[in-house]
Amino acid sequence: VVQPQIDITGANTFCGPSSVLLQGLLYSIDTSAIKWQWQFGNGSRSALQNPAVQQYTTTGNYPVVLTATNSSGCVDTAKTTVFIYAYPTTFAGNDTTICLNIPLQLQASGADIYAWQPASLLSCTDCNNPVATIADNTSLYLRGITNNGCEKTDTINIIVKKPFVLSGLPAV
């Protein structure tokens, strides 16, 4: 009787609370009955080769073990780890009001990598502290990314106060 040869398939890296689909892969042809046993590291277990989607509600590393036993008692085990990473706390800054022709120093926080838009209004798009030169009311968009690839966006709305001109006064 041939020993079962198995593996675990499915993505194992996610951001934030996630639904994870893992499946058991049988490499060797085995005519005997296979008993599957999953331990997902989240408190759940399954006896199916292709179990239901698993929920991982908090960040962390979850060890997953799959065991396959054939009717002759031959066993193979496959292991993986499900990684659940946190989303960044991307913050573009508080909405603000500025005067026309006064540059605004921005200060993003909460991520490892930053991407600002629109580029035409900013001194740099991949830094956390660009200078914005804005002539009209606008919104600036920030995408913050962690080193693990998790991302979150934020927006800062900017109102530009313009000088007013008095008209209609009689000439003196």
Side-chain angles (χ1 to χ4, degrees), residues 65-152:
V65 179
L66 172 60
T67 303
T69 307
N70 68 16
S71 57
S72 299
C74 299
V75 177
D76 191 23
T77 300
K79 297 179 181 181
T80 192
T81 302
V82 171
F83 300 96
I84 306 295
Y85 295 111
Y87 285 104
T89 55
T90 304
F91 181 63
N94 293 320
D95 293 349
T96 191
T97 301
I98 62 171
C99 294
L100 182 65
N101 296 323
I102 302 296
L104 175 62
Q105 178 76 59
L106 300 167
Q107 186 64 52
S109 62
D112 300 309
I113 301 165
Y114 299 96
W116 290 91
Q117 289 294 328
S120 62
L121 302 177
L122 301 161
S123 62
C124 65
T125 59
D126 62 352
C127 62
N128 70 322
N129 59 347
V131 174
T133 306
I134 301 167
D136 295 301
N137 296 350
T138 193
S139 296
L140 299 175
Y141 305 97
L142 175 64
R143 184 169 57 123
I145 308 163
T146 66
N147 290 329
N148 296 315
C150 300
E151 59 184 75
K152 181 183 170 211

Side-chain angles (χ1 to χ4, degrees), residues 8-60:
I8 298 171
T9 64
N12 69 336
T13 303
F14 300 89
C15 299
S18 296
S19 299
V20 178
L21 179 63
L22 300 172
Q23 297 181 320
L25 178 63
L26 180 63
Y27 287 116
S28 59
I29 303 298
D30 193 329
T31 57
S32 63
I34 302 289
K35 178 183 172 191
W36 299 88
Q37 185 57 53
W38 288 89
Q39 297 175 5
F40 295 102
N42 63 354
S44 295
R45 296 174 176 263
S46 177
L48 301 173
Q49 178 180 356
N50 298 314
V53 170
Q54 295 298 306
Q55 301 302 317
Y56 294 86
T57 57
T58 58
T59 59

Side-chain angles (χ1 to χ4, degrees), residues 146-166:
T146 66
N147 290 329
N148 296 315
C150 300
E151 59 184 75
K152 181 183 170 211
T153 59
D154 192 29
T155 302
I156 181 172
N157 298 302
I158 301 164
I159 296 172
V160 178
K161 294 281 187 176
K162 298 180 180 181
F164 58 92
V165 176
L166 294 176

